[in-house]
Amino acid sequence: MGAHEDVTTGPIDTAAVDTAHLEELLLGRWAETRRTAREVLKDPVFHKVENQTKEDQRERTFKQCHALVEAKAVHRAFPEEFGGDNDNGANIAAFEELVTADPSLQIKAGVQWGLFGAAVLHLGSREHQQQWLPGIMDLSVPGAYAMTEFGHGSDVAALGTTATYDPETEEFLIHTPFTAATKRYLGNAALHATAAVVFAQLITRGVNHGVHCFYMQIRDESGSPLPGITINDDGHKGGLNGVDNGQLSFDQVRVPRTHLLNRYGDVAADGTYTSPITSPGRRFFTMLGTLVQGRVSLSGAAVAASKLALIGAVTYGNQRRQFHAASSTEEEVLLDYQLHQRRLIPRLAKTVALSFAQEKLLGKLDEVFSGADDSDENRQELETLAAAVKPVATWHGLDMLQEAREACGGAGFISANRFTSLRADLDVYVTFEGDNNVLLQLVAKRLLADYAAEFKNADVGALASYVANQAGDRIMHRFGLRRALQGVRDTGNERRSANWFKQTAVQHDLLADRVRQMVADVAAQLRPVAKLPSAQQAKVFNDHQYEIINTAKAHAELLLWEAFTEGLESVQDAGTRQVLTWLRDVYALTTIEETLDWYLVNGRISAQRARTLSPYINRLVARLRPHAQDIVDSFGYGPEHVRMEVASGAEAERQHEAIEHYRALRASSAAPVEEKTLLERQRAAAKRP
Amino acid sequence: MGAHEDVTTGPIDTAAVDTAHLEELLLGRWAETRRTAREVLKDPVFHKVENQTKEDQRERTFKQCHALVEAKAVHRAFPEEFGGDNDNGANIAAFEELVTADPSLQIKAGVQWGLFGAAVLHLGSREHQQQWLPGIMDLSVPGAYAMTEFGHGSDVAALGTTATYDPETEEFLIHTPFTAATKRYLGNAALHATAAVVFAQLITRGVNHGVHCFYMQIRDESGSPLPGITINDDGHKGGLNGVDNGQLSFDQVRVPRTHLLNRYGDVAADGTYTSPITSPGRRFFTMLGTLVQGRVSLSGAAVAASKLALIGAVTYGNQRRQFHAASSTEEEVLLDYQLHQRRLIPRLAKTVALSFAQEKLLGKLDEVFSGADDSDENRQELETLAAAVKPVATWHGLDMLQEAREACGGAGFISANRFTSLRADLDVYVTFEGDNNVLLQLVAKRLLADYAAEFKNADVGALASYVANQAGDRIMHRFGLRRALQGVRDTGNERRSANWFKQTAVQHDLLADRVRQMVADVAAQLRPVAKLPSAQQAKVFNDHQYEIINTAKAHAELLLWEAFTEGLESVQDAGTRQVLTWLRDVYALTTIEETLDWYLVNGRISAQRARTLSPYINRLVARLRPHAQDIVDSFGYGPEHVRMEVASGAEAERQHEAIEHYRALRASSAAPVEEKTLLERQRAAAKRP
């Protein structure tokens, strides 16, 4: 412990961020790739231009995509034989950085290489790859990823488009049987795509084998839709207007049998269906498995955008002054206000937690896609992890951008400061590539399945003892005895309470215990109906859906905390570790604070301790305040990435000029006297005898 | 009680919304004005067009403003002698509705008639009014309201621009002494304004009399800035790009003495300053008093936009289907999902609460501005009420638009559905015309002042007894005894608990008690430093700023609840009253749920009761679900106001077509069999002997 020490938080004197060290840590395993990507993106050709019509923006974004090809920035995931690097983790790491240049560019690139190209790569045969990947990679064949329909987004299995095999001609008939089956929101479709991968129900010999993917030409050389294909424009959007989203519908359009991307399911010339995966359900999820890359990318992009927002808001918060409080001549710097600290520091903590969680997620993705461990189990773990982190990251991105924009006042609303522009573009990240709430429901189902599996194998004795413990707990809770006992021991001494809250083990137990208990509570409600007809099961499940989603959120928060804590362990520099530990504590404690009622109701935290939590957090954010600039500086972005007037130092210059003006004025004889001061003097003079 | 009754909520059979009755109730006192305004705004000329550059949008908005003049839609607040109606409440009511057409139009109109015009009206002399109001009213003189500067927004008293009187020429010299004193974000300034009202420190005879307002010509006939005036464009913004915000700076620009708007402060030819208000502080707040109209308008606009968002999301939620759950052939309607109910119904409740609160606020504004009661006390009440409601309403507007947009998935992101467009435009409502957090701090200060005043007059005995009660309370809380006792009595019986929560008196006590206790807690922290130097006072105040802001929020929530409950009392129809009572309960209980930890820590709600709260809310939102469409239909907006594809009924048609398609297919011999079904049949056949 240092010589100077705060009673509750630890040594203060030694706390200091080694920004180079922290930058390296946050850049993570793919640091070199990120640096290379960031270097490329310094070029203004990639930067979003504001105040364009969607027509102009689309053209510009398309040109930017070509520039990415020239800069060799988008081929990392493709096999070496086609000129790629076969490096999946690096690919996503670089892709995440695109958001700093222009989110439209990111999404248009994602459609071309991450969805359209990845479908051919992962679902096609070697012949398919040889035939189509070169044109996809060099963008001579722009393509759409035609999955979503008017009537079905998240529920891909229920798509309406059909692909019916005709053995006479050895062709599939791609068809849109009703309006709701029209493909919608397809990037590249409105203007640029000449081809598409189309998802449709594969029907052959009278059997529907479920959703499969077909490669199709959709426009001719002149850019007109091919016969039987109708293309419409989705029109102007809330953001991402550089992406030309459009609609596709098909009137019995014939495609060759060999255009079925047939890695997981094939149709022979005579119409016989075969698949290496027997279960239709497992086959479906395997085919959709590549979608996880999109989720991981969006999550990472949201973290990068959150970092930009913090750089802007923290820098401005350190320069802008408002209201006199402590001094009559000098105004307060925004970040000295407690409320401003409360608005920005916990969000800084969550951003860093997400940065570490994203790094873990990326590692897991690389493990699966590189083949280092692509077992079903690991693939499922990746899916669940992505389904947990993507919602938290993308919602946090919007919240972070909004709070940063509000924290900069009117300046935050000016497009030159980018907050509103980034927020508008990132808005759809919370509902596409898996709607956040649907993903959270997947997470919860996995948690419940794991829980059920645990009990399936448990012997009767263990189960009985578990139930007894639960019952005991419940009685304790019912009569408030456990809390009352805590109350007597726990007199709300702030120091003792803070010492408790700051323990890593305590934070872990609080966060983990909440997830466990919530899962157990939900499972207890669902168990009695497990044997009932599905309609009744569905009703009971629905009656607990809100609780179920909250359980998944609690799980995601635990994951973030674990990633942050693991990240901390690799910090060598003591000063940096101290600051990051406080920041991790802020993440843990504000997360607990948000659901403090649960901890109280469930007897995990006594009312006395709960009372000390908010004041302790207030002290922690004040302690972190002097380090906020160093932390955001460690994000490693240069002015070419940030591009915000609020982060340029212009405000500091303006404040300096104003302060100097008033200082010179006070020193001169020209300074007017305030009417208020004059009145006070007159009053004082009148009182004198 | 009805024949059919839910154990916890009341009669179900009789609950039904009389939409015409509810519409009338929600239209409120200025129903006729609102109807007239809405009729005018059906004209497409007023409707926002998406995908315009700011240049095109600005021109269009300017033309729309001229069309408003022609439609006689913007003169209600002006005196009858100038062709107005002298009707302040009606003026704001009509102004609120503009947001349904185009928020840029609303704000540009607000700048011209609500700020520029109102400054001349309220701060100028009769001569000023006669000279300038006609040109302002008919828009032949577009003007800017030059208050905000780079360096000062919320802290108007500290503006840097100076107006120094020169008795030699009987002119004021308007001057920008340093960059941070440059006027910024001024609507109309970038392009259209030929004049401006400029706020500057009035200095005469060596004394600074504080901020006063001056009428100035800023552009010549050709549109060029007058000598000494520099005008810059604020550029593209996150929204409201129909408003040409710009910057003004002055280099010793001379304006005639008579251009000082001199109602509250005047300078004689020889430089003598006079004012009908002796205190410079009171004079300042009186001059700024007209700003409250802007706050009330924005609050009302946010409520109107929230209603549009709900119309879109609820209608779509009632038509769109997703995932099979209870049936294998029919998918679930979105609004049947508990989570969807939890996302929309509490926000519906808060919107209705705000609608009633806005009506009260408008009544108070009319009282003050009509002169029916323009006492200092009532004016302060209006200020405090507006400062409480505006933050809650504008933040809710953004939250409501965002949740509605997400609840509509990808469709929510398409500009044709307006959620993102409205959200982008309304974003700045939370920080302009008084930053929300600054306004909440004003509310808190008023609460603390009232509390202090109460104790100043209390006799010693009363104070002692109060302190004793507090001490008793604290001991009870510390040892958890009160809660433990509640625990024994309160076994968490859900029905008994629900019966408690639904009582109006219980809800009131919970919400009001929280405000009272929080004020007392903060006051107790601040009292010991009341005599210390201001720097130390400022520190202690800052150490509690977060708590102080939360206190103001709690107060605002109580105000909303009170307005809703008052509104309920005027409902004649029993069925409507039942539904609205549930909705009021949802508002109260979700508000309590959000800060449930406070109620637990402070012993106001036992853990047993707290445990039943969330399930009870879940039941309430399910109960309200069938009435959601009726409630949003009662908002009284026509398709010309809503203009959203999701609310058009197109989704219902698409769903119907899809359902019919599958029905016909199942009935035909052409239906393919599912592979899964086939496999099940094969397995079953294999088992047969």
Side-chain angles (χ1 to χ4, degrees):
Chain A
M1 287 189 189
H4 177 196
E5 182 166 336
D6 183 78
V7 289
T8 51
T9 51
I12 295 164
D13 291 348
T14 57
V17 175
D18 177 338
T19 53
H21 181 50
L22 182 55
E23 180 176 332
E24 205 56 38
L25 183 71
L26 291 173
L27 282 172
R29 178 169 152 198
W30 286 278
E32 269 321 295
T33 305
R34 287 188 193 277
R35 283 208 184 87
T36 306
R38 291 181 186 187
E39 199 54 41
V40 166
L41 297 173
K42 284 182 176 174
D43 188 339
V45 77
F46 296 115
H47 300 167
K48 181 176 180 184
V49 171
E50 303 294 340
N51 193 31
Q52 288 193 305
T53 60
K54 75 173 193 298
E55 291 73 19
D56 290 346
Q57 205 185 334
R58 285 170 172 189
E59 278 320 301
R60 182 179 159 82
T61 306
F62 194 40
K63 281 190 195 134
Q64 289 175 326
C65 285
H66 281 290
L68 282 181
V69 174
E70 280 163 40
K72 301 187 191 312
V74 282
H75 294 156
R76 290 182 178 88
F78 291 98
E80 278 139 348
E81 62 166 307
F82 297 107
D85 300 335
N86 197 25
D87 190 339
N88 294 279
N91 177 56
I92 304 290
F95 182 83
E96 289 173 7
E97 301 293 338
L98 286 176
V99 82
T100 64
D102 184 345
S104 282
L105 174 60
Q106 175 172 62
I107 298 307
K108 186 140 173 132
V111 169
Q112 177 68 15
W113 296 291
L115 292 172
F116 177 55
V120 172
L121 175 62
H122 293 289
L123 303 180
S125 65
R126 215 178 129 60
E127 293 69 39
H128 290 144
Q129 294 173 0
Q130 284 169 333
Q131 192 180 349
W132 293 317
L133 281 186
I136 292 172
M137 287 171 69
D138 71 9
L139 197 54
S140 56
V141 181
Y145 185 81
M147 179 179 272
T148 299
E149 299 175 353
F150 268 76
H152 291 101
S154 292
D155 187 7
V156 175
L159 291 179
T161 305
T162 52
T164 310
Y165 186 64
D166 176 1
E168 298 294 315
T169 60
E170 297 192 18
E171 287 170 326
F172 287 100
L173 279 81
I174 310 292
H175 187 60
T176 306
F178 45 83
T179 315
T182 304
K183 300 290 179 185
R184 194 185 191 186
Y185 312 131
L186 317 177
N188 274 345
L191 276 184
H192 300 130
T194 59
V197 288
V198 178
F199 289 81
Q201 306 286 348
L202 190 161
I203 299 163
T204 180
R205 294 186 163 185
V207 178
N208 182 348
H209 293 278
V211 172
H212 286 64
C213 184
F214 301 82
Y215 185 96
M216 288 176 75
Q217 194 76 15
I218 61 166
R219 281 190 170 89
D220 63 20
E221 307 262 306
S222 75
S224 301
L226 291 178
I229 299 181
T230 305
I231 306 184
N232 282 307
D233 197 321
D234 277 320
H236 192 266
K237 305 187 300 288
L240 295 182
N241 279 303
V243 185
D244 53 319
N245 291 82
Q247 305 169 5
L248 287 181
S249 61
F250 308 96
D251 183 8
Q252 307 286 7
V253 179
R254 290 179 172 270
V255 301
R257 180 180 68 90
T258 53
H259 280 208
L260 165 63
L261 298 176
N262 59 353
R263 181 161 165 197
Y264 298 111
D266 202 5
V267 172
D270 68 352
T272 314
Y273 180 84
T274 52
S275 168
I277 306 175
T278 320
S279 152
R282 215 184 127 230
R283 188 191 312 140
F284 173 73
F285 285 110
T286 306
M287 283 201 262
L288 259 57
T290 56
L291 280 180
V292 76
Q293 292 193 95
R295 290 171 191 165
V296 176
S297 312
L298 296 188
S299 166
V303 177
S306 299
K307 288 176 179 173
L308 294 181
L310 279 163
I311 292 170
V314 167
T315 306
Y316 190 70
N318 268 322
Q319 296 179 358
R320 163 83 171 175
R321 292 168 181 275
Q322 188 170 261
F323 290 111
H324 297 273
S327 152
S328 62
T329 57
E330 196 137 289
E331 292 165 300
E332 304 299 308
V333 172
L334 287 190
L335 208 49
D336 285 335
Y337 287 105
Q338 184 186 60
L339 183 69
H340 218 74
Q341 294 165 10
R342 265 284 191 165
R343 293 166 73 182
L344 295 180
I345 306 284
R347 288 179 170 88
L348 173 63
K350 189 162 184 176
T351 302
V352 172
L354 276 164
S355 190
F356 285 119
Q358 178 66 17
E359 177 70 10
K360 276 184 79 171
L361 182 55
L362 210 51
K364 178 68 74 181
L365 177 134
D366 191 71
E367 216 172 71
V368 168
F369 280 77
S370 70
D373 179 358
D374 59 357
S375 63
D376 263 20
E377 200 190 328
N378 207 38
R379 204 173 264 277
Q380 274 184 30
E381 256 185 51
L382 168 63
E383 299 266 0
T384 310
L385 193 59
V389 176
K390 187 259 183 182
V392 182
T394 53
W395 272 326
H396 174 69
L398 297 190
D399 170 64
M400 183 72 250
L401 285 160
Q402 183 64 23
E403 196 67 41
R405 116 90 192 109
E406 291 182 29
C408 294
F413 191 59
I414 301 296
S415 300
N417 283 317
R418 297 183 65 203
F419 301 114
T420 53
S421 175
L422 282 165
R423 198 206 169 283
D425 286 334
L426 266 68
D427 184 358
V428 77
Y429 288 31
V430 304
T431 52
F432 76 176
E433 299 287 321
D435 177 276
N436 281 358
N437 281 307
V438 174
L439 292 178
L440 287 174
Q441 195 154 312
L442 292 181
V443 172
K445 282 186 172 170
R446 175 68 191 266
L447 292 173
L448 286 166
D450 287 354
Y451 180 83
E454 202 178 303
F455 279 99
K456 204 158 69 180
N457 300 322
D459 64 36
V460 181
L463 191 61
S465 115
Y466 175 84
V467 171
N469 283 334
Q470 283 293 98
D473 247 33
R474 184 143 296 229
I475 287 161
M476 289 287 277
H477 293 162
R478 172 166 295 169
F479 294 103
L481 295 179
R482 192 155 113 170
R483 269 163 306 122
L485 288 173
Q486 283 201 358
V488 172
R489 277 203 319 271
D490 206 355
T491 56
N493 175 300
E494 293 205 2
R495 181 177 175 168
R496 234 187 294 165
S497 198
N499 279 332
W500 186 70
F501 276 125
K502 76 179 187 187
Q503 290 172 53
T504 302
V506 167
Q507 291 172 14
H508 176 266
D509 286 354
L510 288 171
L511 293 169
D513 199 26
R514 177 155 184 255
V515 181
R516 250 192 322 261
Q517 183 65 49
M518 287 178 86
V519 171
D521 285 350
V522 172
Q525 304 287 336
L526 298 182
R527 204 176 301 136
V529 296
K531 309 277 182 199
L532 295 182
S534 68
Q536 278 162 278
Q537 276 189 51
K539 192 193 170 309
V540 176
F541 188 86
N542 193 41
D543 284 346
H544 295 275
Q545 194 190 18
Y546 183 63
E547 199 179 341
I548 284 166
I549 297 287
N550 285 336
T551 304
K553 284 183 184 165
H555 175 70
E557 281 155 6
L558 172 63
L559 292 177
L560 261 61
W561 181 89
E562 286 175 344
F564 202 151
T565 302
E566 271 180 52
L568 259 186
E569 282 162 15
S570 62
V571 179
Q572 304 298 320
D573 177 66
T576 307
R577 192 164 56 240
Q578 179 59 75
V579 173
L580 276 200
T581 303
W582 291 335
L583 199 64
R584 192 276 319 261
D585 292 352
V586 166
Y587 174 69
L589 301 180
T590 49
T591 300
I592 291 165
E593 190 185 36
E594 274 166 29
T595 52
L596 191 53
D597 58 327
W598 187 92
Y599 291 99
L600 286 156
V601 164
N602 290 278
R604 298 318 200 265
I605 297 177
S606 70
Q608 285 63 42
R609 277 199 177 143
R611 200 187 282 276
T612 69
L613 182 58
S614 185
Y616 180 45
I617 294 171
N618 291 342
R619 288 202 303 282
L620 270 177
V621 296
R623 181 63 34 80
L624 280 158
R625 183 250 172 279
H627 305 285
Q629 191 72 50
D630 286 342
I631 299 170
V632 303
D633 288 348
S634 305
F635 294 157
Y637 286 113
E640 304 90 339
H641 307 112
V642 178
R643 306 193 307 281
M644 297 175 175
E645 200 263 356
V646 288
S648 68
E651 181 60 24
E653 278 172 39
R654 283 192 295 264
Q655 292 289 343
H656 180 73
E657 186 199 353
I659 289 169
E660 285 305 312
H661 167 83
Y662 284 119
R663 201 192 314 273
L665 192 65
R666 281 195 305 274
S668 77
S669 58
V673 61
E674 301 286 314
E675 183 186 336
K676 201 177 117 191
T677 315
L678 199 69
L679 290 175
E680 279 161 13
R681 279 188 213 154
Q682 287 168 349
R683 253 178 252 124
K687 274 188 194 165
R688 260 178 250 133
Chain B
M1 287 191 191
H4 178 197
E5 179 166 341
D6 183 79
V7 288
T8 52
T9 51
I12 294 164
D13 290 347
T14 56
V17 175
D18 177 340
T19 53
H21 181 49
L22 182 54
E23 180 176 332
E24 204 56 37
L25 183 70
L26 291 173
L27 282 171
R29 178 171 152 196
W30 287 276
E32 268 321 295
T33 305
R34 287 188 193 277
R35 284 210 183 86
T36 307
R38 290 181 187 186
E39 200 54 41
V40 167
L41 297 172
K42 284 182 177 173
D43 188 339
V45 76
F46 297 114
H47 299 168
K48 181 176 179 183
V49 171
E50 302 293 340
N51 193 31
Q52 289 193 305
T53 60
K54 75 172 193 298
E55 290 73 18
D56 290 346
Q57 206 185 332
R58 286 170 172 188
E59 278 319 302
R60 182 177 158 83
T61 306
F62 194 39
K63 280 189 198 134
Q64 290 175 326
C65 285
H66 281 290
L68 282 181
V69 174
E70 279 163 41
K72 302 190 191 310
V74 282
H75 295 156
R76 290 183 178 87
F78 292 97
E80 279 138 348
E81 64 167 304
F82 297 107
D85 301 335
N86 198 26
D87 189 339
N88 294 279
N91 176 56
I92 304 290
F95 182 83
E96 289 172 8
E97 301 294 338
L98 286 176
V99 81
T100 64
D102 184 345
S104 282
L105 174 60
Q106 175 173 62
I107 298 306
K108 188 142 172 130
V111 169
Q112 177 67 17
W113 296 290
L115 292 172
F116 177 54
V120 172
L121 175 61
H122 293 290
L123 304 179
S125 64
R126 217 179 127 61
E127 292 70 38
H128 291 144
Q129 294 173 0
Q130 284 169 332
Q131 192 178 352
W132 294 316
L133 281 186
I136 293 172
M137 287 172 68
D138 71 10
L139 198 55
S140 56
V141 181
Y145 185 81
M147 179 180 272
T148 300
E149 299 175 355
F150 269 74
H152 290 99
S154 292
D155 187 7
V156 176
L159 290 178
T161 306
T162 51
T164 310
Y165 185 67
D166 176 2
E168 299 293 314
T169 60
E170 297 190 20
E171 287 169 325
F172 287 100
L173 279 82
I174 310 291
H175 188 60
T176 305
F178 45 82
T179 314
T182 303
K183 299 291 177 184
R184 196 185 189 186
Y185 312 131
L186 316 178
N188 275 344
L191 276 184
H192 300 131
T194 58
V197 288
V198 177
F199 289 80
Q201 306 285 348
L202 189 161
I203 299 163
T204 180
R205 294 186 164 184
V207 178
N208 183 348
H209 292 277
V211 172
H212 286 65
C213 184
F214 301 82
Y215 186 95
M216 286 176 76
Q217 193 75 17
I218 61 165
R219 281 188 170 91
D220 64 20
E221 306 262 305
S222 75
S224 302
L226 291 177
I229 299 181
T230 306
I231 305 183
N232 282 305
D233 197 320
D234 277 318
H236 192 266
K237 305 186 300 285
L240 295 183
N241 279 302
V243 186
D244 54 319
N245 291 83
Q247 305 169 3
L248 287 181
S249 62
F250 308 96
D251 184 9
Q252 308 286 6
V253 178
R254 290 181 173 268
V255 299
R257 180 179 67 91
T258 53
H259 280 209
L260 165 64
L261 298 177
N262 60 352
R263 180 161 165 198
Y264 298 110
D266 202 6
V267 172
D270 67 353
T272 314
Y273 180 85
T274 53
S275 169
I277 306 174
T278 318
S279 152
R282 219 186 122 228
R283 188 192 312 142
F284 173 73
F285 286 109
T286 305
M287 281 199 265
L288 259 58
T290 55
L291 280 180
V292 77
Q293 292 192 95
R295 289 170 192 164
V296 175
S297 312
L298 296 188
S299 166
V303 176
S306 300
K307 288 177 178 172
L308 294 180
L310 279 163
I311 292 170
V314 167
T315 306
Y316 190 71
N318 267 323
Q319 298 181 354
R320 163 83 172 174
R321 292 169 181 275
Q322 187 171 263
F323 291 110
H324 297 271
S327 153
S328 62
T329 55
E330 194 137 290
E331 294 166 300
E332 304 298 310
V333 173
L334 288 190
L335 207 49
D336 285 335
Y337 288 106
Q338 184 186 62
L339 184 68
H340 219 75
Q341 293 165 10
R342 264 284 192 167
R343 291 165 75 183
L344 295 180
I345 307 285
R347 287 179 172 88
L348 174 62
K350 189 163 181 175
T351 302
V352 172
L354 276 163
S355 190
F356 285 119
Q358 179 66 18
E359 177 70 10
K360 276 183 78 169
L361 181 55
L362 210 52
K364 178 68 76 181
L365 178 132
D366 191 71
E367 214 172 72
V368 168
F369 280 77
S370 71
D373 179 358
D374 60 356
S375 62
D376 264 21
E377 201 190 328
N378 207 38
R379 200 172 266 278
Q380 275 184 30
E381 257 184 50
L382 168 63
E383 299 266 358
T384 309
L385 193 60
V389 175
K390 186 260 182 183
V392 182
T394 53
W395 272 326
H396 174 70
L398 297 190
D399 170 64
M400 183 70 251
L401 285 160
Q402 183 64 22
E403 197 67 41
R405 117 88 193 110
E406 292 182 29
C408 294
F413 192 58
I414 301 295
S415 299
N417 283 317
R418 297 184 67 205
F419 301 115
T420 53
S421 175
L422 282 166
R423 197 206 170 283
D425 286 334
L426 266 68
D427 184 359
V428 77
Y429 288 31
V430 305
T431 53
F432 75 177
E433 299 287 320
D435 178 276
N436 281 359
N437 281 306
V438 174
L439 291 179
L440 287 173
Q441 194 154 315
L442 293 181
V443 172
K445 283 185 173 173
R446 175 70 191 266
L447 292 173
L448 287 165
D450 287 353
Y451 180 82
E454 201 178 303
F455 279 100
K456 206 158 69 179
N457 300 324
D459 65 36
V460 181
L463 191 63
S465 115
Y466 175 85
V467 171
N469 283 335
Q470 282 295 96
D473 248 32
R474 184 142 298 228
I475 288 163
M476 290 287 277
H477 293 162
R478 172 166 296 168
F479 294 103
L481 295 180
R482 192 154 115 170
R483 267 161 308 125
L485 288 174
Q486 283 200 357
V488 173
R489 278 204 317 271
D490 205 355
T491 56
N493 175 298
E494 294 205 2
R495 180 177 175 168
R496 230 186 299 164
S497 199
N499 279 332
W500 186 70
F501 277 124
K502 76 179 186 187
Q503 290 171 52
T504 302
V506 167
Q507 292 172 12
H508 176 266
D509 285 355
L510 288 171
L511 294 168
D513 199 24
R514 177 155 185 256
V515 181
R516 248 192 322 260
Q517 183 65 48
M518 287 178 86
V519 171
D521 285 350
V522 172
Q525 302 288 335
L526 298 182
R527 203 175 302 134
V529 297
K531 309 278 181 196
L532 295 182
S534 68
Q536 277 161 278
Q537 276 190 49
K539 190 192 172 312
V540 176
F541 187 85
N542 193 42
D543 285 346
H544 295 275
Q545 194 190 17
Y546 183 62
E547 200 180 340
I548 285 166
I549 296 287
N550 286 336
T551 304
K553 285 183 183 165
H555 175 69
E557 282 155 5
L558 172 63
L559 292 178
L560 261 61
W561 181 90
E562 286 175 345
F564 202 151
T565 303
E566 270 181 52
L568 261 184
E569 283 163 15
S570 62
V571 179
Q572 304 297 321
D573 177 66
T576 307
R577 192 166 55 237
Q578 179 59 74
V579 173
L580 277 199
T581 303
W582 291 335
L583 199 64
R584 193 277 316 265
D585 292 353
V586 165
Y587 174 69
L589 300 180
T590 49
T591 300
I592 290 165
E593 190 185 35
E594 274 166 30
T595 51
L596 190 53
D597 59 325
W598 188 91
Y599 291 99
L600 285 156
V601 164
N602 290 279
R604 300 316 201 266
I605 297 178
S606 71
Q608 286 64 41
R609 278 199 178 145
R611 200 187 282 277
T612 68
L613 182 58
S614 185
Y616 180 45
I617 293 171
N618 291 343
R619 288 202 303 282
L620 270 178
V621 296
R623 180 64 34 80
L624 279 159
R625 184 250 171 280
H627 305 286
Q629 192 72 50
D630 286 342
I631 299 170
V632 303
D633 288 348
S634 306
F635 294 157
Y637 287 113
E640 303 91 339
H641 308 112
V642 179
R643 307 193 306 281
M644 298 175 174
E645 201 264 354
V646 287
S648 67
E651 180 61 23
E653 279 172 39
R654 284 192 295 264
Q655 292 289 343
H656 180 74
E657 186 198 353
I659 289 169
E660 286 305 312
H661 167 83
Y662 284 118
R663 200 194 312 273
L665 192 65
R666 280 195 306 273
S668 78
S669 58
V673 61
E674 302 285 315
E675 182 186 337
K676 203 177 117 192
T677 314
L678 199 69
L679 290 174
E680 279 162 11
R681 281 188 211 151
Q682 287 169 351
R683 251 179 253 125
K687 275 188 193 164
R688 262 179 247 132

